[in-house]
Amino acid sequence: TIDVKPVLSPFTGLANNEPGLNSRFYALTSPTTLPDFASLTPYQYGTVSLLAYGGTTGICVGSGRADSVGAVFEGWIQAATEGNYTMSVTSDAGSQLFIDGLLVVDNNGLHTYTEKTGTIYLKPGFHSIRIPFFESTGTCGLTLKWAVPGTTTRITVPASALSHGGQLHDLDGSGGVDLGDLAVLMLDFGSDCSL
């Protein structure tokens, strides 16, 4: 289990935000660990409404392939309340979960459909999310769950909490873009990263 705290304040407003996470899919050759996706070229792009793919030997996570596939899912996750969020990623094979650029769950490597958890303290608002994933051969699956503050049971992160795109604005939650947003940005830039 990994426990982390956020570095930056969340974004309370996003203009032109859209439902679902952006997805990029990659053809891999007998992978055993997550590759450097930045050095690869995707063969397919798309959007997924949520990550709830149970184990299957068929098409893997909407990629059009059953084996030797990689994927990166990116966008925003919206926290409704402040507190500790217990996140989990169940995958076959490897995966990781980053929120606000911080590694929250590390489930990398070749293994069967296995769940790993991590806890992160979030403030209300939109937080960046990135889930890299790969499958080699056999069964494929990927599920993202959370237990929100005040609960202990992890449930699939609902589609209503996942989105992508948008332009950042209103960092201070005042209802408009103004000097307060610049102040929030400047304070975060110089803030103590240890929290």
Side-chain angles (χ1 to χ4, degrees), residues 73-164:
F73 302 95
E74 291 179 303
W76 305 100
I77 188 166
Q78 187 175 15
T81 58
E82 183 172 346
N84 285 317
Y85 286 73
T86 300
M87 308 297 300
S88 77
V89 180
T90 307
S91 65
D92 183 356
S95 61
Q96 292 175 322
L97 168 63
F98 294 87
I99 296 179
D100 292 340
L102 302 172
L103 180 63
V104 179
V105 177
D106 189 1
N107 200 5
N108 199 1
L110 281 176
H111 51 75
T112 58
Y113 198 57
T114 303
E115 181 181 41
K116 291 283 180 86
T117 64
T119 302
I120 184 168
Y121 187 89
L122 297 177
K123 295 180 180 179
F126 294 93
H127 299 265
S128 66
I129 186 171
R130 181 175 185 268
I131 302 104
F133 165 81
F134 84 92
E135 166 56 8
S136 184
T137 60
T139 304
C140 169
L142 178 65
T143 302
L144 176 65
K145 293 184 177 183
W146 66 3
V148 299
T151 67
T152 57
T153 302
R154 289 186 298 280
I155 62 169
T156 301
V157 176
S160 61
L162 300 173
S163 58
H164 70 280

